[in-house]
Structures are given as C-alpha cells and as structure tokens.
Amino acid sequence: MACFLVSALLLVLQTYAAPPQFVRAPSVVGAKLNPAMMMDLSAAGRLSANASGDDVPPPPPPPPGTSKRAPHSIIIGVRKGGTRALLEMLDIHPEVAAAATEVHFFDWDENYAKGFEWYRDLMPYSYPEQITVEKTPGYFTSALAPERIRAMNASIKLLLILRDPAERVISDYTQVYFNRLENHKPVQAIENLLVRNGALNTRYKAIQRSLYDVHMRNWLRHFPLEQIHIVDGDTLIRDPLPELQKVESFLNLPPRIVSSNFYFNQTKGFYCIRSDGRERCLHESKGRPHPAVNGTVLQQLRSYLREHNRNFYRLVKRSFDWQ
C-alpha cells in the first residue's frame, strides 16, 4: 500500500511540473474563433522555442478551413475616440474576426520594415466568410500610414471613429496622467500643458491629434471619402446600435447585431456587451472620469478648435454636435 501511495504521489508531481509547452491547448473548432487566443497560442509556441533553445512541438494547428489574411477593414483612429469600444462591439458579429492587439504596422517604421508577411502573421485565423478587422488609432495622425495602407490594398474599407475634439484632448491627457501615476512618474495639471506663456499651447500633442481636418486631408489624398466611414463616437457611447448598424452596412455585412447585445452598466456609466452567453465590459481604464478644467482655458481650447471643426465638416460633407 505504501509503495502504491508513493507511486501515485510521484505521478501527480510529474503532471503538475510538466513544462507549459507540452500542455495541450484547448480546441476551438466549431465556435467563433477568439482572436486573442489564436494569436496567443501562436506567439507562445515561438516564444517557448526561442527561450529554451530546445526542440519543442509546434503550436497547435488552426481549425480546419481557416487562414490568416490581411485585413479587409482597418479602424484607423482616432486615439481616445472610442476605437476599442468600436472593435469590441463589432466583434459581436459572427462574420468579423478582430485582431487582438494594436499592430502599429503602418505608422511605426521599425514594424513596417519587417514586411507584409510579418504583419499578416499577426492577424487572427478566420474562415472564408469572415472579414478581418485591425485597429490601430495611431494610423489617423500618421503622415505615412495612408500611403502605406493604399499600397497594400487601394480598395480597403476604413473606419474612423471621432468624438468632440476638445473632450478627446481631455481624455488623451487623462490616459497619460494615469499611466504616469502607475509608473511613478511626475504629473502636471492639464492647464499647465494646455497653456504656455499665457497662450494656448497648440504644439501640445493632444491638441495636434484633435485637428481632424489636418489629418483628414492627408487621408483624402490617398482614398476617396466613400471608402472612409466615420463613426460618431459620442453617439456610440449613448446609443451603440444605430452606429453599429451603419458600420454593418458599410462593410456589406448581414445585420446580426441587435439591441439585446447591449446593456447599460449603471456602475460604469456606459454600455457593456452581451454575446455568446457572456457579458463583458471594456477595461477599467476606459471611461475614467475627466479632471475639471479651468473654464477660461477650456474656452480657449474650444475656440481654437472651432475653425478646424468647420473645415472638417466641409471635407466630409457632414456635421457633428461638437461645441
């Protein structure tokens, strides 16, 4: 009996001590692919092999009938405009395969130099009837991204989600503020960044990113307006379904997203997602409360942005309820 117990104990210890690369990954055949899981499995196999230097089994094969393809649509921005919310909500659709991470292929030279095959390998596995969607908010304000994306696919459909540009500036500041706090770096009051020597600091990056007309002109040099669908980020927050139905139509997707896919979370103060029998909200870093901004400084910011907003309305042939 004692020998039997010792043998059993050794077997248990061997089982729990098995190296992670030898643990079989769960099967995902027969369900909508989870892009984060598919990308993680592939990356895990590469990282394990590189770290150990030993021969290790290759990552699990993808589900039959799937492949990694270049995106059919890209969410190009804008930073702090609601890109993550748009991607998560669009991913409800069974014919959408969403890339799990921001790739920064077309706006970062070091990534673009790695080549198209590197980029495509970062896309999720998808079935032939699905479309692949990638989102990197930095593309909208990149001088080179429009030309590079056109070189890949001149007929690609682009999604651009925008919100009130002054509110976007404050949200941009808020994200950086909390990131610096978490990394134990010094922070400044927003007024100290918005104003320099008594005048609005128009060189502040957060303000530059909110000059939608400047960046849109660059995109319209490479793509017709008909290939760029603008999502109203302020409306998406208040009432997601109508905006997502417009996106479905733009991407030629059958209507599959319905009102029951959303519920308002009173605690968080925004809509969360209900799909595949699960409920999920955006990360806690989303929807953070904005700091109070000095009224005079805020008025300076809005006055400066007002003419840029009017120019943007003319470019895109529509207006928005921005102050």
Side-chain angles (χ1 to χ4, degrees):
M1 183 67 179
C3 291
F4 173 77
L5 291 174
V6 170
S7 299
L9 179 60
L10 288 173
L11 179 60
V12 170
L13 289 174
Q14 288 172 352
T15 300
Y16 284 96
Q21 63 265 34
F22 291 106
V23 177
R24 186 178 299 277
S27 171
V28 293
V29 178
K32 176 173 178 177
L33 299 180
N34 181 328
M37 178 167 63
M38 294 308 300
M39 292 176 69
D40 288 347
L41 288 174
S42 178
R46 291 194 299 269
L47 289 173
S48 178
N50 291 339
S52 66
D54 298 330
D55 291 334
V56 296
T66 66
S67 61
K68 291 185 176 185
R69 296 178 292 167
H72 304 78
S73 178
I74 299 178
I75 300 174
I76 58 174
V78 63
R79 171 179 160 125
K80 305 312 297 177
T83 58
R84 173 52 60 182
L86 176 60
L87 185 69
E88 293 280 348
M89 292 176 177
L90 189 57
D91 194 38
I92 294 170
H93 201 291
E95 294 183 19
V96 169
T101 59
E102 295 176 6
V103 181
H104 287 284
F105 179 64
F106 298 103
D107 60 334
W108 290 1
D109 291 343
E110 60 270 31
N111 284 345
Y112 193 68
K114 295 174 183 177
F116 179 72
E117 292 304 317
W118 177 87
Y119 175 62
R120 185 167 59 183
D121 191 51
L122 293 175
M123 295 300 107
Y125 286 104
S126 61
Y127 292 100
E129 67 273 14
Q130 291 180 307
I131 65 169
T132 299
V133 179
E134 186 241 311
K135 80 104 175 168
T136 299
Y139 291 161
F140 181 58
T141 55
S142 165
L144 297 174
E147 182 178 5
R148 288 172 171 177
I149 292 175
R150 181 177 174 81
M152 177 189 72
N153 182 358
S155 61
I156 194 169
K157 294 192 172 187
L158 304 171
L159 295 170
L160 173 63
I161 180 167
L162 300 174
R163 63 189 295 197
D164 182 304
E167 292 297 320
R168 198 219 63 81
V169 169
I170 301 170
S171 184
D172 200 322
Y173 163 83
T174 303
Q175 176 174 285
V176 174
Y177 175 87
F178 280 101
N179 286 345
R180 292 185 69 86
L181 280 183
E182 290 167 4
N183 290 291
H184 308 290
K185 293 182 178 180
V187 295
Q188 297 186 61
I190 188 171
E191 290 83 359
N192 294 341
L193 296 169
L194 288 173
V195 177
R196 291 286 168 87
N197 300 319
L200 192 70
N201 178 19
T202 58
R203 299 185 67 180
Y204 177 33
K205 285 184 179 180
I207 294 178
Q208 290 288 314
R209 294 186 187 107
S210 279
L211 305 183
Y212 299 156
D213 60 323
V214 173
H215 307 300
M216 194 66 183
R217 284 194 191 95
N218 188 31
W219 283 91
L220 292 176
R221 293 188 189 103
H222 301 277
F223 292 96
L225 183 60
E226 294 72 26
Q227 277 179 241
I228 307 174
H229 177 73
I230 301 173
V231 178
D232 188 330
D234 297 308
T235 301
L236 185 75
I237 294 171
R238 295 191 303 267
D239 188 11
L241 185 59
E243 288 299 311
L244 289 163
Q245 289 174 328
K246 294 173 189 174
V247 174
E248 284 180 318
S249 177
F250 174 71
L251 297 178
N252 296 320
L253 291 169
R256 295 290 183 270
I257 302 174
V258 295
S259 59
S260 59
N261 288 132
F262 308 101
Y263 67 96
F264 190 79
N265 186 304
Q266 295 287 349
T267 302
K268 292 181 175 292
F270 53 77
Y271 279 90
C272 295
I273 298 168
R274 183 187 293 117
S275 67
D276 300 325
R278 298 184 301 116
E279 294 183 353
R280 65 186 190 276
C281 293
L282 297 178
H283 189 268
E284 61 183 13
S285 64
K286 307 299 181 182
R288 283 170 170 160
H290 289 177
V293 183
N294 177 277
T296 302
V297 173
L298 184 59
Q299 186 56 43
Q300 281 183 277
L301 175 62
R302 292 195 183 280
S303 297
Y304 174 71
L305 292 171
R306 197 162 289 127
E307 184 60 31
H308 287 280
N309 294 345
R310 285 194 286 262
N311 291 338
F312 179 76
Y313 300 160
R314 286 190 286 269
L315 284 173
V316 301
K317 299 179 174 60
R318 62 181 283 197
S319 60
F320 296 82
D321 295 327
W322 299 335
Q323 296 185 38

